[in-house]
Amino acid sequence: MKHPHHVGTTEELKTSLAAAGCWDSYAEQYCDEGCLKRYLRARNMDVTKACAMLKTTLEWRKTNKIDDMTIEEFASSRYMRDGWVYVDGNDAEGRSIVVFRKRKERLPVDEHDLYLRYMTFVVETAIKNMKNGQEQWVWMLDLAVYSPSNAPALSVTLGVLQLLANHYPERLHKAYVVNAPSIFQMAWKVLQPFIDPVTRSKAAFVNTKDYHAPAKAAADSSWGSWASSVFTSSKSSSKEAAAQAPAGPGGSDASVVLADGPADGGKGCFRPFLQLYETPFCYDRQRQLLTACGWK
């Protein structure tokens, strides 16, 4: 009998998968050392739970023919052509950057399945695009035009969260939620119970105005106070929260330059991603990236 705090190993996970009848040639190819470790970490190094989770993923991949997806399957969809979600290069360490651009139109109900499959295609692309041995990605979610009228159905949002949590565990390095209006607070409160606490801790809410001078644009008090109250730890003192807040107004508004310090509540500096955020989506460039990643 294993000790209740036994730390499972990748060899034990392989043995469990074989005992479950799913360690075939496909599993041997898909489940490299990094994959096995991610699933173990996702289940607190519990081999039994990690085995069940990975077994489900292997079955899901085969059933949905994840490895058979192609560029042309999505080439005519608005999601690819208009850049709703796409991979846009790598950060300085080689992690893939996934960009989500909230559009003004609402996702049609009859396209939910297509959208989720396209999301799968995007994250598979992100994995193919990783450099320097990295195994995580950075998400940049542009919510500047978010509103209740164009918000996706809860079932779609939960579908995406479940897709990432169930089949791509331990992949998230950072998620930047950019220019979210204060109305998004309600949606965030609804979603929080469905998001793992570790994943929530990797979310950083930023406003691009805070990265530019003059500081007239750097002090959006309604957004700043909301972000501070929602995302600052309950254990933080008011003094600590104040220290993290953006600087007050000052200086001339004759020119616009990058601000000096991070303005994201201490969640991590968004500055390296600012230029990418402000660069419009280019379909031709995206096709080139997909081809370079090996998609047919």
Side-chain angles (χ1 to χ4, degrees):
M1 182 178 178
K2 289 188 175 68
H3 189 277
H5 300 297
H6 173 73
V7 177
T9 66
T10 55
E11 286 303 317
E12 289 174 335
L13 180 51
K14 285 182 184 179
T15 300
S16 293
L17 288 167
C22 57
W23 188 257
D24 54 15
S25 59
Y26 181 80
E28 191 170 355
Q29 180 181 10
Y30 180 74
C31 302
D32 59 16
E33 191 73 6
C35 173
L36 296 169
K37 287 180 178 179
R38 286 192 300 273
Y39 278 78
L40 280 169
R41 290 197 301 269
R43 289 297 178 261
N44 297 315
M45 309 307 288
D46 185 306
V47 172
T48 301
K49 293 180 180 179
C51 178
M53 184 183 191
L54 187 45
K55 181 175 182 290
T56 299
T57 291
L58 291 169
E59 293 171 347
W60 169 78
R61 292 186 69 86
K62 292 177 182 178
T63 300
N64 293 280
K65 299 181 178 180
I66 302 304
D67 299 292
D68 295 333
M69 293 188 293
T70 66
I71 297 174
E72 295 310 315
E73 181 179 347
F74 308 101
S76 62
S77 74
R78 73 184 82 188
Y79 312 122
M80 178 180 287
R81 295 203 65 86
D82 297 340
W84 284 42
V85 192
Y86 56 98
V87 176
D88 201 351
N90 308 82
D91 68 4
E93 287 73 38
R95 304 180 190 90
S96 288
I97 302 172
V98 183
V99 181
F100 170 90
R101 301 280 191 185
K102 183 72 193 80
R103 300 304 181 183
K104 292 182 178 180
E105 61 266 43
R106 189 172 191 177
L107 181 69
V109 175
D110 61 352
E111 294 185 18
H112 288 184
D113 290 342
L114 172 62
Y115 181 73
L116 290 176
R117 184 163 175 82
Y118 176 66
M119 287 293 295
T120 303
F121 179 75
V122 171
V123 295
E124 288 285 323
T125 301
I127 293 171
K128 291 174 179 287
N129 185 62
M130 291 175 184
K131 305 289 192 294
N132 305 329
Q134 291 291 342
E135 60 176 26
Q136 291 186 309
W137 45 48
V138 174
W139 279 73
M140 185 167 63
L141 299 98
D142 176 11
L143 300 185
V145 299
Y146 174 90
S147 72
S149 63
N150 66 21
L154 180 60
S155 60
V156 175
T157 303
L158 294 181
V160 173
L161 292 175
Q162 290 167 0
L163 169 73
L164 298 175
N166 295 341
H167 303 304
Y168 300 94
E170 298 294 305
R171 286 288 192 182
L172 180 65
H173 173 70
K174 200 77 177 178
Y176 291 101
V177 184
V178 188
N179 293 339
S182 57
I183 192 68
F184 183 71
Q185 179 181 9
M186 293 186 293
W188 178 249
K189 287 182 177 179
V190 171
L191 293 174
Q192 282 194 77
F194 300 99
I195 305 175
D196 179 82
V198 175
T199 300
R200 288 204 306 269
S201 72
K202 296 179 180 181
F205 282 67
V206 297
N207 191 323
T208 55
K209 290 180 180 179
D210 296 335
Y211 283 85
H212 293 278
K216 176 185 288 187
D220 184 337
S221 61
S222 62
W223 191 96
S225 61
W226 164 67
S228 176
S229 66
V230 173
F231 306 108
T232 301
S233 168
S234 59
K235 295 182 180 180
S236 298
S237 67
S238 58
K239 182 177 181 180
E240 291 172 330
Q244 294 176 350
S252 169
D253 61 357
S255 62
V256 176
V257 296
L258 288 178
D260 291 331
D264 48 19
K267 296 287 187 179
C269 186
F270 181 70
R271 184 185 311 287
F273 305 95
L274 183 62
Q275 183 176 356
L276 186 151
Y277 172 81
E278 295 176 341
T279 301
F281 170 74
C282 175
Y283 178 71
D284 290 338
R285 189 172 72 244
Q286 182 62 193
R287 288 291 299 245
Q288 292 173 4
L289 183 147
L290 294 173
T291 301
C293 285
W295 288 115
K296 297 179 180 179

